[in-house]
Amino acid sequence: MTWKSLQVDAVWVRRLTALADQPQNTSGLEAAFLRYGWARPGPEGRPEIEWGGGAASPHEITGGGGEGVGWRLELGDAPGEVPGAWFARLPCALFWPAFGDEPEDVEDAGQDDLDDDYGPAWIRRPEAERTDFHAEFRRLGELIRAELGEPDETGSAEMDERWERWDRKAGVVVLERTDDINSYSHYDVIAVRVGTAS
């Protein structure tokens, strides 16, 4: 069993949660991306952000360029284009094998065939247990609580899914532990999602 994670700290959480407190318009969000160093100015002065790529075509912050997957945001449609469709989602941690596929004996686990796709930004913990993955969910939840207080909603579902939701002035912040659709369910993922309240 393996676990890999990005070093998401209080600064990352503060910046992500601030997106849910500002007006949900393209120019304001793009200005925040520039300010945070998550995007570069394009030739016409507007940031180079590919809205609407989602998990299939995430917005690279660092990594890529032959280094493998690094820091990236999965982005929904630009604010205002489709009502309720704007979001930014940061995958923070991955656990292999996914829930339900866990082997009884680690020696029979084979290997994480997708590990080489992920660059040096991802810290590996090859001897991790699912309890370590759960502890990372709690750690990220505490970082968000330090910014926003207690969540407005918490919940869980089958397949080890869990979420915590904070309703904000202009949007929502959701911490989620779920199936990783980006890897076709090879991993379980912990992610922070900011977006329009639905």
Side-chain angles (χ1 to χ4, degrees), residues 115-182:
D115 186 57
D116 290 343
D117 294 349
Y118 292 82
W122 292 84
I123 306 303
R124 275 102 171 138
R125 294 168 178 88
E127 303 301 324
E129 299 291 333
R130 187 162 285 276
T131 54
D132 300 313
F133 188 61
H134 291 179
E136 179 66 359
F137 181 87
R138 288 191 300 275
R139 185 188 76 82
L140 291 167
E142 288 304 315
L143 288 174
I144 299 173
R145 282 175 175 77
E147 290 296 316
L148 306 180
E150 289 300 312
D152 295 294
E153 177 186 341
T154 63
S156 60
E158 295 179 1
M159 304 301 286
D160 201 38
E161 293 185 355
R162 180 143 183 81
W163 66 89
E164 297 178 343
R165 174 185 167 127
W166 290 261
D167 297 317
R168 305 302 296 160
K169 287 187 236 179
V172 297
V173 176
V174 179
L175 174 64
E176 56 191 4
R177 184 176 74 224
T178 189
D179 180 47
D180 181 41
I181 61 168
N182 194 43

Short mmCIF file of all heavy atoms in Angstrom, two decimals, residues 115-182:
data_model
loop_
_atom_site.label_atom_id
_atom_site.label_comp_id
_atom_site.label_asym_id
_atom_site.label_seq_id
_atom_site.Cartn_x
_atom_site.Cartn_y
_atom_site.Cartn_z
N ASP A 115 2.63 5.34 -10.31
CA ASP A 115 3.48 6.19 -9.47
C ASP A 115 4.46 7.02 -10.30
O ASP A 115 4.71 8.18 -9.98
CB ASP A 115 4.24 5.36 -8.44
CG ASP A 115 5.01 6.23 -7.47
OD1 ASP A 115 4.38 7.09 -6.81
OD2 ASP A 115 6.23 6.08 -7.39
N ASP A 116 5.01 6.46 -11.35
CA ASP A 116 5.99 7.19 -12.17
C ASP A 116 5.38 8.39 -12.89
O ASP A 116 6.11 9.25 -13.38
CB ASP A 116 6.64 6.26 -13.19
CG ASP A 116 7.57 5.25 -12.54
OD1 ASP A 116 7.96 5.47 -11.37
OD2 ASP A 116 7.89 4.24 -13.18
N ASP A 117 4.06 8.45 -12.97
CA ASP A 117 3.40 9.60 -13.61
C ASP A 117 3.47 10.85 -12.75
O ASP A 117 3.25 11.95 -13.24
CB ASP A 117 1.93 9.30 -13.90
CG ASP A 117 1.74 8.20 -14.94
OD1 ASP A 117 2.74 7.82 -15.60
OD2 ASP A 117 0.61 7.72 -15.10
N TYR A 118 3.75 10.68 -11.46
CA TYR A 118 3.73 11.78 -10.51
C TYR A 118 5.15 12.26 -10.22
O TYR A 118 6.03 11.46 -9.95
CB TYR A 118 3.01 11.36 -9.22
CG TYR A 118 1.54 11.14 -9.49
CD1 TYR A 118 1.08 9.95 -10.03
CD2 TYR A 118 0.62 12.16 -9.26
CE1 TYR A 118 -0.26 9.77 -10.33
CE2 TYR A 118 -0.73 11.99 -9.55
CZ TYR A 118 -1.16 10.79 -10.09
OH TYR A 118 -2.48 10.62 -10.41
N GLY A 119 5.34 13.58 -10.29
CA GLY A 119 6.65 14.17 -10.15
C GLY A 119 7.11 14.31 -8.71
O GLY A 119 6.45 13.85 -7.77
N PRO A 120 8.24 15.01 -8.52
CA PRO A 120 8.85 15.13 -7.20
C PRO A 120 8.06 15.99 -6.21
O PRO A 120 8.37 15.97 -5.02
CB PRO A 120 10.22 15.75 -7.49
CG PRO A 120 10.09 16.39 -8.83
CD PRO A 120 9.07 15.60 -9.58
N ALA A 121 7.06 16.73 -6.67
CA ALA A 121 6.24 17.50 -5.74
C ALA A 121 5.44 16.58 -4.80
O ALA A 121 5.05 16.99 -3.71
CB ALA A 121 5.27 18.42 -6.50
N TRP A 122 5.22 15.35 -5.24
CA TRP A 122 4.46 14.38 -4.45
C TRP A 122 5.41 13.61 -3.54
O TRP A 122 6.33 12.95 -4.00
CB TRP A 122 3.70 13.41 -5.36
CG TRP A 122 2.60 14.09 -6.11
CD1 TRP A 122 2.72 14.79 -7.29
CD2 TRP A 122 1.24 14.17 -5.73
NE1 TRP A 122 1.50 15.28 -7.65
CE2 TRP A 122 0.57 14.92 -6.73
CE3 TRP A 122 0.51 13.67 -4.65
CZ2 TRP A 122 -0.80 15.18 -6.67
CZ3 TRP A 122 -0.85 13.92 -4.59
CH2 TRP A 122 -1.50 14.68 -5.59
N ILE A 123 5.17 13.69 -2.24
CA ILE A 123 5.98 12.99 -1.25
C ILE A 123 5.41 11.58 -1.09
O ILE A 123 4.22 11.41 -0.82
CB ILE A 123 5.97 13.73 0.10
CG1 ILE A 123 6.38 15.20 -0.09
CG2 ILE A 123 6.85 13.01 1.11
CD1 ILE A 123 7.72 15.40 -0.72
N ARG A 124 6.26 10.57 -1.25
CA ARG A 124 5.81 9.18 -1.18
C ARG A 124 5.97 8.59 0.22
O ARG A 124 6.97 8.85 0.88
CB ARG A 124 6.62 8.32 -2.15
CG ARG A 124 6.05 8.34 -3.56
CD ARG A 124 6.86 9.24 -4.41
NE ARG A 124 6.45 9.09 -5.82
CZ ARG A 124 6.31 10.11 -6.63
NH1 ARG A 124 6.53 11.33 -6.23
NH2 ARG A 124 5.95 9.92 -7.89
N ARG A 125 5.00 7.78 0.60
CA ARG A 125 5.06 7.03 1.85
C ARG A 125 4.70 5.58 1.50
O ARG A 125 3.54 5.19 1.57
CB ARG A 125 4.09 7.62 2.86
CG ARG A 125 4.50 9.03 3.28
CD ARG A 125 3.38 9.72 4.05
NE ARG A 125 3.79 11.03 4.49
CZ ARG A 125 3.66 12.16 3.78
NH1 ARG A 125 3.15 12.11 2.57
NH2 ARG A 125 4.04 13.32 4.28
N PRO A 126 5.69 4.79 1.10
CA PRO A 126 5.40 3.46 0.56
C PRO A 126 4.86 2.46 1.58
O PRO A 126 4.28 1.46 1.19
CB PRO A 126 6.75 3.00 0.00
CG PRO A 126 7.77 3.84 0.65
CD PRO A 126 7.11 5.14 1.00
N GLU A 127 5.03 2.71 2.85
CA GLU A 127 4.53 1.76 3.86
C GLU A 127 3.27 2.27 4.55
O GLU A 127 2.93 1.81 5.63
CB GLU A 127 5.63 1.50 4.90
CG GLU A 127 6.93 0.98 4.32
CD GLU A 127 6.75 -0.33 3.57
OE1 GLU A 127 5.94 -1.16 4.00
OE2 GLU A 127 7.42 -0.51 2.53
N ALA A 128 2.59 3.21 3.94
CA ALA A 128 1.43 3.84 4.57
C ALA A 128 0.25 2.87 4.68
O ALA A 128 0.10 1.94 3.89
CB ALA A 128 1.00 5.06 3.79
N GLU A 129 -0.56 3.12 5.68
CA GLU A 129 -1.81 2.38 5.88
C GLU A 129 -2.98 3.33 5.61
O GLU A 129 -2.81 4.55 5.61
CB GLU A 129 -1.89 1.86 7.32
CG GLU A 129 -0.77 0.90 7.68
CD GLU A 129 -0.87 -0.42 6.95
OE1 GLU A 129 -1.99 -0.82 6.58
OE2 GLU A 129 0.17 -1.06 6.74
N ARG A 130 -4.16 2.78 5.44
CA ARG A 130 -5.33 3.62 5.21
C ARG A 130 -5.57 4.57 6.39
O ARG A 130 -6.05 5.69 6.20
CB ARG A 130 -6.57 2.76 4.95
CG ARG A 130 -7.77 3.59 4.54
CD ARG A 130 -8.83 2.76 3.87
NE ARG A 130 -8.47 2.42 2.51
CZ ARG A 130 -8.67 3.22 1.45
NH1 ARG A 130 -9.19 4.40 1.60
NH2 ARG A 130 -8.33 2.82 0.25
N THR A 131 -5.19 4.17 7.59
CA THR A 131 -5.35 5.06 8.74
C THR A 131 -4.49 6.32 8.59
O THR A 131 -4.87 7.39 9.04
CB THR A 131 -4.98 4.35 10.06
OG1 THR A 131 -3.66 3.80 9.93
CG2 THR A 131 -5.97 3.24 10.39
N ASP A 132 -3.33 6.21 7.92
CA ASP A 132 -2.49 7.38 7.64
C ASP A 132 -3.19 8.32 6.67
O ASP A 132 -3.11 9.55 6.80
CB ASP A 132 -1.14 6.96 7.06
CG ASP A 132 -0.35 6.06 8.01
OD1 ASP A 132 -0.26 6.39 9.19
OD2 ASP A 132 0.16 5.04 7.53
N PHE A 133 -3.86 7.75 5.69
CA PHE A 133 -4.62 8.53 4.71
C PHE A 133 -5.76 9.28 5.41
O PHE A 133 -5.98 10.46 5.16
CB PHE A 133 -5.15 7.57 3.65
CG PHE A 133 -5.81 8.20 2.45
CD1 PHE A 133 -5.12 9.05 1.62
CD2 PHE A 133 -7.12 7.87 2.14
CE1 PHE A 133 -5.73 9.61 0.49
CE2 PHE A 133 -7.73 8.40 1.02
CZ PHE A 133 -7.04 9.27 0.19
N HIS A 134 -6.44 8.60 6.32
CA HIS A 134 -7.50 9.24 7.11
C HIS A 134 -6.94 10.37 7.97
O HIS A 134 -7.57 11.42 8.13
CB HIS A 134 -8.21 8.23 7.99
CG HIS A 134 -9.03 7.25 7.22
ND1 HIS A 134 -9.74 6.25 7.83
CD2 HIS A 134 -9.27 7.10 5.89
CE1 HIS A 134 -10.38 5.53 6.92
NE2 HIS A 134 -10.11 6.03 5.74
N ALA A 135 -5.74 10.16 8.51
CA ALA A 135 -5.11 11.19 9.34
C ALA A 135 -4.80 12.43 8.51
O ALA A 135 -4.90 13.56 9.01
CB ALA A 135 -3.84 10.65 9.99
N GLU A 136 -4.43 12.24 7.25
CA GLU A 136 -4.18 13.40 6.37
C GLU A 136 -5.48 14.16 6.11
O GLU A 136 -5.48 15.40 6.08
CB GLU A 136 -3.55 12.95 5.06
CG GLU A 136 -3.26 14.06 4.08
CD GLU A 136 -2.19 15.05 4.53
OE1 GLU A 136 -1.64 14.92 5.65
OE2 GLU A 136 -1.91 15.99 3.76
N PHE A 137 -6.58 13.47 5.96
CA PHE A 137 -7.88 14.13 5.82
C PHE A 137 -8.16 14.98 7.06
O PHE A 137 -8.59 16.13 6.95
CB PHE A 137 -8.98 13.08 5.61
CG PHE A 137 -10.35 13.66 5.42
CD1 PHE A 137 -10.79 14.02 4.15
CD2 PHE A 137 -11.21 13.83 6.49
CE1 PHE A 137 -12.06 14.55 3.97
CE2 PHE A 137 -12.47 14.35 6.32
CZ PHE A 137 -12.91 14.72 5.06
N ARG A 138 -7.91 14.42 8.24
CA ARG A 138 -8.14 15.18 9.48
C ARG A 138 -7.21 16.38 9.56
O ARG A 138 -7.62 17.47 9.98
CB ARG A 138 -7.97 14.28 10.70
CG ARG A 138 -9.11 13.28 10.88
CD ARG A 138 -9.06 12.57 12.22
NE ARG A 138 -7.84 11.82 12.42
CZ ARG A 138 -7.63 10.58 12.00
NH1 ARG A 138 -8.57 9.94 11.31
NH2 ARG A 138 -6.49 9.96 12.26
N ARG A 139 -5.94 16.21 9.16
CA ARG A 139 -4.98 17.32 9.21
C ARG A 139 -5.44 18.48 8.31
O ARG A 139 -5.44 19.64 8.72
CB ARG A 139 -3.59 16.84 8.76
CG ARG A 139 -2.51 17.92 8.89
CD ARG A 139 -1.20 17.47 8.26
NE ARG A 139 -1.22 17.54 6.81
CZ ARG A 139 -1.00 18.65 6.09
NH1 ARG A 139 -0.75 19.80 6.70
NH2 ARG A 139 -1.03 18.61 4.77
N LEU A 140 -5.86 18.15 7.10
CA LEU A 140 -6.34 19.19 6.19
C LEU A 140 -7.61 19.84 6.73
O LEU A 140 -7.79 21.06 6.63
CB LEU A 140 -6.58 18.61 4.80
CG LEU A 140 -5.31 18.19 4.05
CD1 LEU A 140 -5.66 17.34 2.83
CD2 LEU A 140 -4.47 19.39 3.67
N GLY A 141 -8.48 19.04 7.34
CA GLY A 141 -9.68 19.60 7.96
C GLY A 141 -9.35 20.58 9.06
O GLY A 141 -10.00 21.63 9.19
N GLU A 142 -8.34 20.28 9.86
CA GLU A 142 -7.93 21.21 10.92
C GLU A 142 -7.37 22.51 10.35
O GLU A 142 -7.61 23.59 10.91
CB GLU A 142 -6.90 20.54 11.85
CG GLU A 142 -7.49 19.47 12.74
CD GLU A 142 -8.65 19.97 13.59
OE1 GLU A 142 -8.53 21.08 14.17
OE2 GLU A 142 -9.68 19.28 13.66
N LEU A 143 -6.63 22.43 9.25
CA LEU A 143 -6.13 23.64 8.61
C LEU A 143 -7.28 24.52 8.12
O LEU A 143 -7.24 25.74 8.26
CB LEU A 143 -5.21 23.29 7.43
CG LEU A 143 -3.83 22.72 7.78
CD1 LEU A 143 -3.11 22.30 6.50
CD2 LEU A 143 -3.01 23.73 8.56
N ILE A 144 -8.31 23.88 7.55
CA ILE A 144 -9.46 24.66 7.08
C ILE A 144 -10.24 25.22 8.27
O ILE A 144 -10.68 26.38 8.26
CB ILE A 144 -10.36 23.81 6.15
CG1 ILE A 144 -9.57 23.36 4.92
CG2 ILE A 144 -11.60 24.60 5.74
CD1 ILE A 144 -10.29 22.38 4.02
N ARG A 145 -10.40 24.43 9.33
CA ARG A 145 -11.08 24.93 10.52
C ARG A 145 -10.38 26.15 11.12
O ARG A 145 -11.02 27.05 11.64
CB ARG A 145 -11.18 23.83 11.58
CG ARG A 145 -12.25 22.81 11.34
CD ARG A 145 -12.20 21.68 12.37
NE ARG A 145 -13.30 20.76 12.22
CZ ARG A 145 -13.37 19.82 11.27
NH1 ARG A 145 -12.39 19.69 10.39
NH2 ARG A 145 -14.43 19.03 11.19
N ALA A 146 -9.05 26.16 11.05
CA ALA A 146 -8.29 27.31 11.57
C ALA A 146 -8.63 28.58 10.81
O ALA A 146 -8.57 29.68 11.36
CB ALA A 146 -6.79 27.03 11.49
N GLU A 147 -9.03 28.45 9.55
CA GLU A 147 -9.42 29.60 8.73
C GLU A 147 -10.91 29.92 8.84
O GLU A 147 -11.29 31.09 8.90
CB GLU A 147 -9.08 29.33 7.26
CG GLU A 147 -7.62 29.31 6.93
CD GLU A 147 -6.95 30.65 7.16
OE1 GLU A 147 -7.52 31.70 6.78
OE2 GLU A 147 -5.85 30.66 7.73
N LEU A 148 -11.74 28.88 8.83
CA LEU A 148 -13.19 29.08 8.64
C LEU A 148 -14.06 28.63 9.81
O LEU A 148 -15.27 28.82 9.76
CB LEU A 148 -13.64 28.33 7.38
CG LEU A 148 -12.90 28.62 6.08
CD1 LEU A 148 -13.48 27.79 4.95
CD2 LEU A 148 -12.91 30.11 5.75
N GLY A 149 -13.49 28.01 10.83
CA GLY A 149 -14.30 27.48 11.91
C GLY A 149 -14.85 26.10 11.56
O GLY A 149 -14.38 25.44 10.64
N GLU A 150 -15.85 25.68 12.30
CA GLU A 150 -16.43 24.35 12.09
C GLU A 150 -17.21 24.29 10.78
O GLU A 150 -17.81 25.27 10.36
CB GLU A 150 -17.35 23.99 13.26
CG GLU A 150 -16.62 23.71 14.55
CD GLU A 150 -15.63 22.55 14.43
OE1 GLU A 150 -16.02 21.49 13.89
OE2 GLU A 150 -14.48 22.72 14.86
N PRO A 151 -17.21 23.13 10.12
CA PRO A 151 -17.95 23.02 8.86
C PRO A 151 -19.46 23.13 9.07
O PRO A 151 -19.98 22.83 10.15
CB PRO A 151 -17.57 21.63 8.35
CG PRO A 151 -17.08 20.87 9.53
CD PRO A 151 -16.52 21.89 10.49
N ASP A 152 -20.15 23.55 8.03
CA ASP A 152 -21.61 23.65 8.06
C ASP A 152 -22.27 22.30 7.82
O ASP A 152 -23.42 22.10 8.18
CB ASP A 152 -22.09 24.66 7.00
CG ASP A 152 -21.62 26.06 7.33
OD1 ASP A 152 -22.07 26.60 8.35
OD2 ASP A 152 -20.78 26.60 6.59
N GLU A 153 -21.52 21.39 7.20
CA GLU A 153 -22.07 20.06 6.92
C GLU A 153 -20.92 19.06 6.87
O GLU A 153 -19.83 19.37 6.39
CB GLU A 153 -22.77 20.07 5.55
CG GLU A 153 -23.32 18.74 5.12
CD GLU A 153 -23.87 18.77 3.70
OE1 GLU A 153 -24.16 19.85 3.18
OE2 GLU A 153 -23.99 17.67 3.12
N THR A 154 -21.15 17.86 7.40
CA THR A 154 -20.21 16.76 7.27
C THR A 154 -21.00 15.53 6.84
O THR A 154 -22.20 15.44 7.11
CB THR A 154 -19.47 16.45 8.58
OG1 THR A 154 -20.42 16.04 9.57
CG2 THR A 154 -18.69 17.65 9.08
N GLY A 155 -20.35 14.63 6.18
CA GLY A 155 -21.05 13.44 5.76
C GLY A 155 -20.11 12.35 5.32
O GLY A 155 -18.91 12.56 5.17
N SER A 156 -20.66 11.16 5.13
CA SER A 156 -19.89 10.03 4.65
C SER A 156 -20.80 9.15 3.81
O SER A 156 -22.02 9.30 3.83
CB SER A 156 -19.31 9.23 5.82
OG SER A 156 -20.35 8.73 6.63
N ALA A 157 -20.16 8.28 3.04
CA ALA A 157 -20.91 7.38 2.16
C ALA A 157 -20.14 6.07 2.06
O ALA A 157 -19.11 5.89 2.71
CB ALA A 157 -21.09 8.01 0.79
N GLU A 158 -20.65 5.18 1.23
CA GLU A 158 -19.96 3.91 1.01
C GLU A 158 -18.60 4.15 0.37
O GLU A 158 -18.30 5.24 -0.10
CB GLU A 158 -20.82 3.02 0.11
CG GLU A 158 -22.14 2.60 0.75
CD GLU A 158 -22.97 1.75 -0.17
OE1 GLU A 158 -22.53 1.45 -1.30
OE2 GLU A 158 -24.07 1.36 0.25
N MET A 159 -17.78 3.13 0.33
CA MET A 159 -16.47 3.16 -0.32
C MET A 159 -15.53 4.17 0.33
O MET A 159 -14.69 4.77 -0.31
CB MET A 159 -16.60 3.46 -1.82
CG MET A 159 -17.50 2.49 -2.58
SD MET A 159 -16.96 0.77 -2.47
CE MET A 159 -15.56 0.78 -3.54
N ASP A 160 -15.69 4.37 1.66
CA ASP A 160 -14.78 5.20 2.45
C ASP A 160 -14.84 6.68 2.07
O ASP A 160 -13.90 7.42 2.31
CB ASP A 160 -13.34 4.67 2.33
CG ASP A 160 -12.46 5.12 3.49
OD1 ASP A 160 -12.96 5.18 4.62
OD2 ASP A 160 -11.28 5.43 3.24
N GLU A 161 -15.93 7.12 1.48
CA GLU A 161 -16.06 8.53 1.12
C GLU A 161 -16.44 9.36 2.34
O GLU A 161 -17.16 8.91 3.22
CB GLU A 161 -17.11 8.72 0.03
CG GLU A 161 -16.69 8.12 -1.29
CD GLU A 161 -17.67 8.40 -2.40
OE1 GLU A 161 -18.75 8.99 -2.14
OE2 GLU A 161 -17.36 8.04 -3.55
N ARG A 162 -15.93 10.59 2.37
CA ARG A 162 -16.23 11.52 3.47
C ARG A 162 -16.09 12.93 2.94
O ARG A 162 -15.30 13.19 2.03
CB ARG A 162 -15.26 11.28 4.62
CG ARG A 162 -15.47 12.20 5.80
CD ARG A 162 -15.24 11.50 7.13
NE ARG A 162 -15.53 12.40 8.22
CZ ARG A 162 -16.73 12.66 8.69
NH1 ARG A 162 -17.78 12.10 8.18
NH2 ARG A 162 -16.91 13.48 9.70
N TRP A 163 -16.86 13.86 3.49
CA TRP A 163 -16.73 15.26 3.09
C TRP A 163 -17.08 16.17 4.26
O TRP A 163 -17.78 15.80 5.19
CB TRP A 163 -17.62 15.59 1.90
CG TRP A 163 -19.09 15.49 2.19
CD1 TRP A 163 -19.91 16.47 2.68
CD2 TRP A 163 -19.91 14.33 2.05
NE1 TRP A 163 -21.19 16.00 2.85
CE2 TRP A 163 -21.22 14.69 2.46
CE3 TRP A 163 -19.67 13.03 1.60
CZ2 TRP A 163 -22.27 13.78 2.44
CZ3 TRP A 163 -20.73 12.14 1.59
CH2 TRP A 163 -22.00 12.51 2.00
N GLU A 164 -16.53 17.37 4.18
CA GLU A 164 -16.85 18.46 5.10
C GLU A 164 -17.05 19.69 4.23
O GLU A 164 -16.30 19.92 3.29
CB GLU A 164 -15.71 18.68 6.10
CG GLU A 164 -15.49 17.48 6.99
CD GLU A 164 -14.34 17.67 7.98
OE1 GLU A 164 -13.50 18.57 7.78
OE2 GLU A 164 -14.28 16.89 8.95
N ARG A 165 -18.08 20.47 4.54
CA ARG A 165 -18.46 21.61 3.68
C ARG A 165 -18.61 22.87 4.52
O ARG A 165 -19.25 22.85 5.58
CB ARG A 165 -19.76 21.28 2.96
CG ARG A 165 -20.32 22.44 2.15
CD ARG A 165 -21.67 22.05 1.57
NE ARG A 165 -22.36 23.22 1.07
CZ ARG A 165 -22.85 23.32 -0.15
NH1 ARG A 165 -22.72 22.31 -0.99
NH2 ARG A 165 -23.46 24.41 -0.54
N TRP A 166 -18.04 23.95 4.00
CA TRP A 166 -18.15 25.27 4.62
C TRP A 166 -18.84 26.20 3.62
O TRP A 166 -18.37 26.37 2.49
CB TRP A 166 -16.77 25.83 4.95
CG TRP A 166 -16.06 25.15 6.06
CD1 TRP A 166 -15.99 25.57 7.36
CD2 TRP A 166 -15.28 23.95 6.00
NE1 TRP A 166 -15.23 24.69 8.10
CE2 TRP A 166 -14.77 23.69 7.28
CE3 TRP A 166 -14.95 23.06 4.96
CZ2 TRP A 166 -13.96 22.59 7.57
CZ3 TRP A 166 -14.15 21.97 5.24
CH2 TRP A 166 -13.68 21.73 6.53
N ASP A 167 -19.96 26.80 4.04
CA ASP A 167 -20.66 27.78 3.20
C ASP A 167 -20.07 29.16 3.48
O ASP A 167 -19.95 29.56 4.64
CB ASP A 167 -22.17 27.77 3.51
CG ASP A 167 -22.80 26.44 3.17
OD1 ASP A 167 -22.48 25.89 2.10
OD2 ASP A 167 -23.61 25.95 3.97
N ARG A 168 -19.71 29.85 2.41
CA ARG A 168 -19.06 31.15 2.54
C ARG A 168 -19.90 32.24 1.88
O ARG A 168 -20.96 31.97 1.33
CB ARG A 168 -17.67 31.09 1.89
CG ARG A 168 -16.78 29.98 2.44
CD ARG A 168 -16.58 30.08 3.94
NE ARG A 168 -15.85 31.30 4.28
CZ ARG A 168 -15.86 31.85 5.48
NH1 ARG A 168 -16.56 31.31 6.46
NH2 ARG A 168 -15.17 32.93 5.72
N LYS A 169 -19.40 33.47 1.93
CA LYS A 169 -20.13 34.61 1.38
C LYS A 169 -20.53 34.40 -0.07
O LYS A 169 -21.67 34.64 -0.45
CB LYS A 169 -19.26 35.88 1.46
CG LYS A 169 -19.08 36.45 2.84
CD LYS A 169 -18.35 37.76 2.70
CE LYS A 169 -17.10 37.72 3.54
NZ LYS A 169 -16.31 38.95 3.44
N ALA A 170 -19.57 33.99 -0.88
CA ALA A 170 -19.81 33.92 -2.32
C ALA A 170 -19.78 32.49 -2.86
O ALA A 170 -20.18 32.26 -3.99
CB ALA A 170 -18.77 34.77 -3.06
N GLY A 171 -19.31 31.55 -2.10
CA GLY A 171 -19.20 30.18 -2.60
C GLY A 171 -19.10 29.18 -1.48
O GLY A 171 -19.50 29.46 -0.34
N VAL A 172 -18.56 28.02 -1.78
CA VAL A 172 -18.41 26.95 -0.80
C VAL A 172 -16.99 26.41 -0.84
O VAL A 172 -16.29 26.51 -1.86
CB VAL A 172 -19.40 25.79 -1.03
CG1 VAL A 172 -20.83 26.24 -0.89
CG2 VAL A 172 -19.16 25.13 -2.38
N VAL A 173 -16.57 25.82 0.27
CA VAL A 173 -15.31 25.10 0.37
C VAL A 173 -15.66 23.68 0.81
O VAL A 173 -16.41 23.50 1.78
CB VAL A 173 -14.36 25.76 1.39
CG1 VAL A 173 -13.08 24.94 1.55
CG2 VAL A 173 -14.04 27.19 1.00
N VAL A 174 -15.15 22.68 0.10
CA VAL A 174 -15.44 21.29 0.43
C VAL A 174 -14.12 20.52 0.52
O VAL A 174 -13.30 20.58 -0.39
CB VAL A 174 -16.34 20.62 -0.63
CG1 VAL A 174 -16.60 19.16 -0.27
CG2 VAL A 174 -17.65 21.38 -0.78
N LEU A 175 -13.93 19.84 1.63
CA LEU A 175 -12.84 18.88 1.77
C LEU A 175 -13.45 17.51 1.54
O LEU A 175 -14.44 17.16 2.18
CB LEU A 175 -12.22 18.97 3.17
CG LEU A 175 -11.16 17.91 3.51
CD1 LEU A 175 -9.93 18.05 2.63
CD2 LEU A 175 -10.78 18.01 4.99
N GLU A 176 -12.89 16.75 0.60
CA GLU A 176 -13.51 15.47 0.26
C GLU A 176 -12.47 14.36 0.16
O GLU A 176 -11.35 14.58 -0.26
CB GLU A 176 -14.28 15.59 -1.06
CG GLU A 176 -13.45 16.08 -2.22
CD GLU A 176 -14.28 16.43 -3.45
OE1 GLU A 176 -15.52 16.36 -3.40
OE2 GLU A 176 -13.68 16.78 -4.48
N ARG A 177 -12.89 13.19 0.59
CA ARG A 177 -12.11 11.96 0.43
C ARG A 177 -12.99 11.04 -0.40
O ARG A 177 -14.08 10.66 0.03
CB ARG A 177 -11.80 11.36 1.81
CG ARG A 177 -10.91 10.13 1.75
CD ARG A 177 -10.57 9.62 3.14
NE ARG A 177 -11.71 8.96 3.75
CZ ARG A 177 -12.11 9.13 5.02
NH1 ARG A 177 -11.48 9.95 5.82
NH2 ARG A 177 -13.14 8.47 5.49
N THR A 178 -12.51 10.69 -1.59
CA THR A 178 -13.39 9.99 -2.51
C THR A 178 -12.58 9.20 -3.55
O THR A 178 -11.35 9.16 -3.50
CB THR A 178 -14.33 11.00 -3.21
OG1 THR A 178 -15.32 10.32 -3.96
CG2 THR A 178 -13.58 11.96 -4.10
N ASP A 179 -13.27 8.61 -4.47
CA ASP A 179 -12.70 7.89 -5.59
C ASP A 179 -12.03 8.89 -6.53
O ASP A 179 -12.56 9.97 -6.79
CB ASP A 179 -13.84 7.16 -6.30
CG ASP A 179 -13.39 6.36 -7.48
OD1 ASP A 179 -12.42 5.62 -7.36
OD2 ASP A 179 -14.05 6.46 -8.53
N ASP A 180 -10.85 8.57 -7.05
CA ASP A 180 -10.12 9.47 -7.95
C ASP A 180 -10.47 9.17 -9.39
O ASP A 180 -9.91 8.26 -10.01
CB ASP A 180 -8.61 9.32 -7.72
CG ASP A 180 -7.81 10.26 -8.61
OD1 ASP A 180 -8.24 11.42 -8.78
OD2 ASP A 180 -6.78 9.83 -9.14
N ILE A 181 -11.37 9.97 -9.95
CA ILE A 181 -11.78 9.73 -11.34
C ILE A 181 -10.65 10.05 -12.31
O ILE A 181 -10.60 9.51 -13.41
CB ILE A 181 -13.06 10.51 -11.71
CG1 ILE A 181 -12.85 12.02 -11.57
CG2 ILE A 181 -14.23 10.05 -10.88
CD1 ILE A 181 -13.96 12.84 -12.18
N ASN A 182 -9.73 10.93 -11.91
CA ASN A 182 -8.63 11.30 -12.80
C ASN A 182 -7.75 10.10 -13.14
O ASN A 182 -7.18 10.02 -14.22
CB ASN A 182 -7.79 12.41 -12.16
CG ASN A 182 -6.86 13.08 -13.15
OD1 ASN A 182 -7.24 13.37 -14.27
ND2 ASN A 182 -5.63 13.30 -12.74
#
